[in-house]
Amino acid sequence: MGEVKVRVITEEQKAELAAAIERAKAALAIIETYDQQRVDRLCQAVAWAVANKQTFQRLVDMGIAESGLGDPVSRMGKRMKIRGVLRDALRQKSVGIIEEMPEKGIVKYAKPVGIIAGIVPTTNPDLTPAGIGIYAIKARDVAIFSAHPRAKNTTMETVRIMREALEKEGAPADIFQCLTTASIPMASALMSAADLVIATGGKDMVRSAYSSGTPAYGVGAGNATMVIDETANIEEAARNTMLSKTSDYGSGCSADGNIILSDKIYDQFIGQLVKEGGYLANEEEKQKLKSVMWDEEGHRLSHTVAIKPQKLAEIAGFEIPADRKFIIVIGDGIGKQHLFSGEKLTTLLAVHRYSGNFDNALKAVKAIYEVGGKGHSVGIYSFNEEHIHKLALMAPVSRIMVRQPQSKANAGSFTNGMPMTSSLGCGTWGGNIVSENVHLKHYLNTTWVSSPIPEDKPSDAELFGEFYNPELEK
């Protein structure tokens, strides 16, 4: 067995964390007393403080300059996600009675979960604190954020803006805090001290969240794949593929990484991808890409994540035109040994061809998720309802997008009914406790109040059906 790494924090860091917890408890005691109108107003104030165009543009520019990751144009679009989270939060009750079921004699009351540890990824140093913050306020929780070291200043500035908005409304600023130390040991210590963990980040961070001893919602790894059958609208599918692949330079786990494409429309679709800005790499270029994106053991290398396709090509040792938006490679197979069938998190798309009936596409889907991304998501461009149904029956994922760009749809959009979030649960497939979008209900404790109802007890004959034998009851 390898050496076990013991991660500890300094005495000074312990003191910082202890002080943050005490301030959080004091703020919690106050926000717990707020009524629905008060928390809704605070949600609006905090959301606007971050999501207005001028402020969010500044945070986007700051985050990209600090981390070196991401696309300033498409990242600006993420401020719409904050609007979506606010929309969903405002439409739900979170104080007092939130649901009544008279026929069952059940009344449900909402309660805060307490102190949330919000683990912030480097690719969303502004969006994630805002999204967690809105739901936290709505649930009358408080949140302490742990920034990613590579985007620490951006996250701290986002939290500062949120605190300022609270203060202007006469609420405790300490409803939100951000630790000054950005490190895995400090994040681990925070998670152990909190009441609930919302962890968005890499595999190691999510695993740490689940082993912290604190209830946690983590997210599994993605390997977003789209199935495109012969009934697809080729122009729509290619356009959406480009939008999903290029969003924030493919940094999101929902960004299309693999296409499983029917041979009946293969040439047409590849041609349309090129029209949409794709660069079709030749075999030599493909091998060069492979050599710089993964090490000899097949581990993805971080210097190729979330960068422009021109930069990716340059690292690999070739050039592509300045107008190209992403790179396309033709897959050489699906499996652990075929690295292009795994998650890429950059502006590179792998196309895998299938022939024959749709069952062969399903076999390819199954194989893809054995490589990685099980539990996350898959999409399909098809107008064949039987194909959509078959995919839904067998795909080991928590969400399936039909004729939508996954990176803009999985976490909720204004044109689908998925709950808005920045945290995508992947079920037991992905090592997570939930297989849905993490949203308001996950930030709440719920008290069920049960009153008597008329007896609801079926007869044994009704319950056991043909297995019931009254003779055995004598």
Side-chain angles (χ1 to χ4, degrees), residues 248-271:
D248 212 7
Y249 292 153
S251 61
C253 50
S254 292
D256 292 356
N258 296 289
I259 296 290
I260 297 173
L261 177 61
S262 169
D263 64 350
K264 296 173 183 174
I265 58 169
Y266 183 85
D267 291 334
Q268 291 170 274
F269 190 75
I270 294 294

Side-chain angles (χ1 to χ4, degrees), residues 296-311:
E296 292 181 357
E297 296 179 347
H299 300 123
R300 188 178 61 245
L301 300 173
S302 62
H303 68 288
T304 63
V305 171
I307 58 175
K308 295 175 67 172
Q310 288 76 17
K311 181 65 175 177

Side-chain angles (χ1 to χ4, degrees), residues 47-297:
W48 177 248
V50 177
N52 72 80
K53 187 176 182 180
Q54 291 185 9
T55 300
F56 202 75
Q57 182 70 70
R58 181 169 64 82
L59 291 171
V60 164
D61 293 343
M62 184 178 180
I64 290 174
E66 185 179 8
S67 69
L69 301 175
D71 168 38
V73 176
S74 56
R75 186 173 287 190
M76 266 301 288
K78 292 183 178 181
R79 71 193 186 100
M80 293 299 120
K81 185 69 67 182
I82 299 174
R83 285 163 165 78
V85 169
L86 179 63
R87 178 203 68 182
D88 287 359
L90 293 176
R91 288 178 177 177
Q92 300 174 76
K93 294 180 180 179
S94 63
V95 179
I97 296 173
I98 59 172
E99 186 180 357
E100 296 181 80
M101 305 164 65
E103 73 283 1
K104 293 185 178 293
I106 298 294
V107 180
K108 298 181 183 179
Y109 290 74
K111 310 286 177 63
V113 300
I115 300 173
I116 293 174
I119 310 303
V120 184
T122 184
T123 51
N124 278 323
D126 36 30
L127 171 64
T128 297
I132 290 176
I134 293 167
Y135 281 140
I137 290 175
K138 182 73 180 190
R140 295 178 297 164
D141 300 324
V142 298
I144 302 175
F145 295 98
S146 176
H148 191 283
R150 196 168 171 179
K152 170 187 170 181
N153 294 331
T154 307
T155 295
M156 292 190 70
E157 175 62 8
T158 303
V159 176
R160 186 198 67 76
I161 292 167
M162 292 161 62
R163 286 170 58 88
E164 187 177 76
L166 290 170
E167 286 185 310
K168 286 180 179 178
E169 289 299 312
D174 288 334
I175 288 171
F176 299 134
Q177 298 178 72
C178 186
L179 299 176
T180 61
T181 300
S183 68
I184 291 177
M186 194 64 162
S188 298
L190 169 62
M191 290 188 287
S192 295
D195 297 307
L196 177 69
V197 178
I198 307 288
T200 305
K203 180 174 62 176
D204 290 342
M205 180 57 72
V206 172
R207 186 175 294 152
S208 178
Y210 279 120
S211 61
S212 66
T214 301
Y217 294 116
V219 298
N223 190 19
T225 296
M226 297 297 303
V227 180
I228 303 178
D229 74 8
E230 68 278 6
T231 72
N233 179 319
I234 291 173
E235 290 76 16
E236 174 191 54
R239 174 71 176 170
N240 283 350
T241 297
M242 179 276 291
L243 291 173
S244 186
K245 179 72 273 180
T246 60
S247 179
D248 212 7
Y249 292 153
S251 61
C253 50
S254 292
D256 292 356
N258 296 289
I259 296 290
I260 297 173
L261 177 61
S262 169
D263 64 350
K264 296 173 183 174
I265 58 169
Y266 183 85
D267 291 334
Q268 291 170 274
F269 190 75
I270 294 294
Q272 194 64 35
L273 282 179
V274 172
K275 287 182 181 178
E276 291 290 348
Y279 175 84
L280 183 58
N282 61 36
E283 189 61 31
E284 180 183 354
E285 292 166 339
K286 175 179 164 183
Q287 294 306 316
K288 288 181 177 180
L289 287 164
K290 182 178 178 180
S291 68
V292 298
M293 290 183 64
W294 293 276
D295 64 19
E296 292 181 357
E297 296 179 347

Side-chain angles (χ1 to χ4, degrees), residues 227-233 236 262 264-265 354 356-359 361-362 379-393 400-403:
V227 180
I228 303 178
D229 74 8
E230 68 278 6
T231 72
N233 179 319
E236 174 191 54
S262 169
K264 296 173 183 174
I265 58 169
Y354 80 89
N357 63 36
F358 191 70
D359 288 344
L362 298 179
I380 182 169
Y381 288 95
S382 173
F383 290 92
N384 184 319
E385 291 299 325
E386 182 62 21
H387 286 182
I388 296 169
H389 178 60
K390 282 186 172 182
L391 179 64
L393 285 173
I400 296 178
M401 297 297 111
V402 178
R403 300 187 298 273

